[in-house]
Amino acid sequence: MSVPFIDLKTQYRQLKTAIDANIQTVLAHGQYILGPEVAQVEARLAERAGVGHCITVASGTDALRMILMAEDIGPGDAVFMPSFTFTATAEVAAVVGATPVFVDVRRDTFMLDPDDLTRRLEAVRQAGDLRPRAVLAVDLFGWPADYGFLTEFCDREGLLLIDDACQSFGGSLNGRPVGSLAPYSATSFFPAKPLGCYGDGGAIFTDHDEKAAILRSIRVHGQGAQRYDVARLGVNGRFDTLQAAVLLAKLDVFDRELEQREAAAWRYDVGLKDAVTLPPRIPNATSAWAQYCILTPKRDQVREKLQEQGIPTAIYYPLPMHRQPAYAHYAPGLDLPVSDALAREIVALPMHPYLDTETQDRICAAVKAAVA
Ligand SMILES: *Cc1c(COP(=O)(O)O)cnc(C)c1O
């Protein structure tokens, strides 16, 4: 019996009536571009995140790139980020012409290491050829990064803090929702994310009124006050009305799904605590549990054993950014030992709200047998 890594089919079966009705509504009114559902979902997401503005966009990658564009970050600018992340984090800095500066992560959180960030900033200042501009923090696998430290650090050093919240929307830190933890946050509604639509999508969260207006302009080719005024460089970055309609239905059950993910994570923790290194749990925070990733030196044996039993696994991420062919030239001779070690030992297990206890028991037994 094979197990889904992420079970979107069960979710659709449970939400079919609402999703189908919302899609029918869009087909009936026909406003496929920036229709009423887009404004509705933006209002609900902004409220949920506790910020003044949510600007929905075509993907999480566009959300990140548009933030950099709105801040005029480009050639000559250094953007600090973890090397252990999805490629989009690094890509957006490079495509606007800025320089991604890769920083190592902490083994106990998988996120930006404050000591290494401090060292890398110092190194950039010493070299003197780049202007330090921003820290692009990644909330890896669903937990928020350390925004207490990061806010203080960025304020002190005159850097802009941006939250790559593509995996963490739904999480929180000290009672504050992801979306409100940095001056800008970017999330993704890619189908496999905790809050996913049925295609590509994303959103930007900010409290900055003026920048929110600029971001809305960038989203439609830099449009000015009149339709064919081009006030600035922009992109085609709109979120589809049909995707907004899907998201509206999914938002109704999102809190319940987050609880179900948390329950599934606890069942894994209990079942696997003596066999592997469990994923981090960050104090005073909640996770959206985008992924449940364990560490084990016997990763290959674990993957093989699970595959034999029809249980899929995934590796996030097999190669840190500073070693990727597309980015290695930004990091000549750079040694980030924790990122390298994580890439060797990490493996993600099936994680979604519809995991049943029996399936999880089977997965835990297989992992234990593999490492025994
Ligand atoms: C998924 C993801 C992105 C990009 O989101 P898309 O919607 O796929 O463009 C960026 N950063 C991280 C960390 C992600 O996981």
Side-chain angles (χ1 to χ4, degrees), residues 58-62 64 85-86 88-89 138-140 164 166-167 187-190 193 200-202 317:
S59 68
T61 306
D62 270 350
L64 289 166
T85 182
F86 180 58
T89 316
V138 179
D139 301 343
L140 205 65
D164 180 343
C166 286
Q167 301 184 7
T187 199
S188 166
F189 306 126
F190 183 79
K193 308 285 181 177
D200 280 304
Y317 296 93

Side-chain angles (χ1 to χ4, degrees), residues 27-78:
L27 296 177
H29 68 54
Q31 295 178 56
Y32 298 112
I33 301 296
L34 297 183
E37 285 79 5
V38 173
Q40 285 166 31
V41 87
E42 287 181 346
R44 283 183 64 180
L45 291 167
E47 194 194 348
R48 189 185 171 97
V51 294
H53 306 277
C54 168
I55 302 105
T56 54
V57 294
S59 68
T61 306
D62 270 350
L64 289 166
R65 177 170 60 135
M66 290 166 62
I67 293 166
L68 299 180
M69 290 173 74
E71 288 288 333
D72 287 317
I73 292 175
D77 292 336

Side-chain angles (χ1 to χ4, degrees), residues 40 46 66 73 120 169 183 185 201 206 222 240 247 274 279 346:
Q40 285 166 31
M66 290 166 62
I73 292 175
R120 301 288 297 139
F169 191 70
S185 304
T206 186
D240 283 347
L247 219 53
D274 299 322
I346 206 157

Side-chain angles (χ1 to χ4, degrees), residues 360-371:
Q360 280 193 283
D361 288 347
R362 213 152 66 73
I363 296 170
C364 292
V367 171
K368 284 194 224 165
V371 300

